[in-house]
Amino acid sequence: MKVNYTFEQKDTDSQNYYFYKDGFSVAELKKIELGVAKIEFQKATIVGGDVEKQRSSRIKWIPQSTEWWWLYEKLANYAKEANNSLWEFDLQSIPEQIQYTEYLGTNKGHYDWHADIGPGMLSQRKVSITVQLSHPDEYEGGDLELFRGGSMNGPFEKAERNQGCVFLFPSYTMHRVTPVTKGIRKSFVLWLGGGHYR
């Protein structure tokens, strides 16, 4: 008799995403805008590869400080709800800072296909969060797209463009930001996880 040993486990939806269309109020977005204005820009980088070809954007790092704690707590609560609904990852911490990103239409701002995981600290990322800060009328192009299998020619899942939308997905999901052709796309990104994947 052939016997297969199976570990008992709960079914999850490991390739799905979750979003809150109105995750941030107008007042909260204004508070974010004023706070971000005080932080210096940096040039965006990547882990390996040709950064100029892969990514065109400028960034700021939002510190885990008393001033910004409300933002980290709000995003952590959104992530916990999404994780409990879909993935059941073992989330332990937010080991990195929030990254504020601007994609400029004048530079065809973009971020080509990539996953948010990698070596070292990046191996601890389990849930990726993108917060849409720009109003959709303020820019053209700049779609956040997810690849969830099938053909690399598409179709792809497009994230909601509503200002204040919080969009969450597993960090191993391939995704990209298509080139911005006009205006500026502003967003936050953050990664949660900690420990080995489980």
Side-chain angles (χ1 to χ4, degrees):
M1 180 176 75
K2 185 177 180 181
V3 178
N4 290 322
Y5 186 90
T6 8
F7 294 95
E8 185 177 343
Q9 61 183 2
K10 179 181 176 181
D11 288 337
T12 61
D13 200 350
S14 59
Q15 284 192 297
N16 210 346
Y17 58 87
Y18 203 95
F19 71 95
Y20 303 85
K21 186 171 181 179
D22 297 299
F24 284 86
S25 67
V26 173
E28 288 173 324
L29 291 170
K30 187 63 179 177
K31 182 178 180 179
I32 289 168
E33 181 183 4
L34 293 173
V36 165
K38 303 172 189 174
I39 302 172
E40 294 292 324
F41 274 109
Q42 299 179 30
K43 186 172 176 60
T45 60
I46 61 171
V47 178
D50 182 354
V51 66
E52 297 299 331
K53 183 177 179 182
Q54 181 76 11
R55 182 179 190 181
S56 173
S57 61
R58 57 184 188 177
I59 64 171
K60 300 181 179 188
W61 294 102
I62 311 302
Q64 291 196 26
S65 63
T66 304
E67 178 185 1
W68 291 101
W69 198 251
W70 70 274
L71 179 59
Y72 280 89
E73 190 168 46
K74 189 178 182 77
L75 292 176
N77 288 333
Y78 282 147
K80 284 189 285 186
E81 182 176 346
N83 187 55
N84 290 340
S85 297
L86 294 178
W87 313 303
E88 291 286 339
F89 295 136
D90 179 24
L91 299 182
Q92 300 177 10
S93 63
I94 304 176
E96 299 174 79
Q97 296 179 332
I98 293 170
Q99 184 184 110
Y100 168 83
T101 309
E102 289 188 358
Y103 297 93
L104 310 178
T106 52
N107 294 334
K108 296 270 191 293
H110 69 281
Y111 199 158
D112 209 351
W113 288 113
H114 67 286
D116 288 337
I117 58 173
M121 175 72 75
L122 277 63
S123 68
Q124 298 182 34
R125 294 176 176 178
K126 296 174 184 174
V127 175
S128 296
I129 305 176
T130 296
V131 180
Q132 176 66 31
L133 300 176
S134 300
H135 190 280
D137 292 341
E138 294 176 346
Y139 67 99
E140 295 177 5
D143 286 311
L144 171 61
E145 296 183 337
L146 271 60
F147 175 70
R148 298 201 295 159
S151 169
M152 281 304 291
N153 295 318
F156 309 115
E157 298 284 346
K158 286 189 179 182
E160 171 66 48
R161 288 170 65 105
N162 191 59
Q163 189 177 31
C165 177
V166 180
F167 195 84
L168 307 96
F169 54 93
S171 297
Y172 50 68
T173 305
M174 293 292 290
H175 58 286
R176 70 177 176 181
V177 176
T178 62
V180 174
T181 56
K182 183 178 179 181
I184 303 175
R185 178 185 183 268
K186 302 174 183 179
S187 65
F188 272 154
V189 294
L190 177 63
W191 310 274
L192 297 88
H196 297 294
Y197 244 103
R198 58 178 179 171

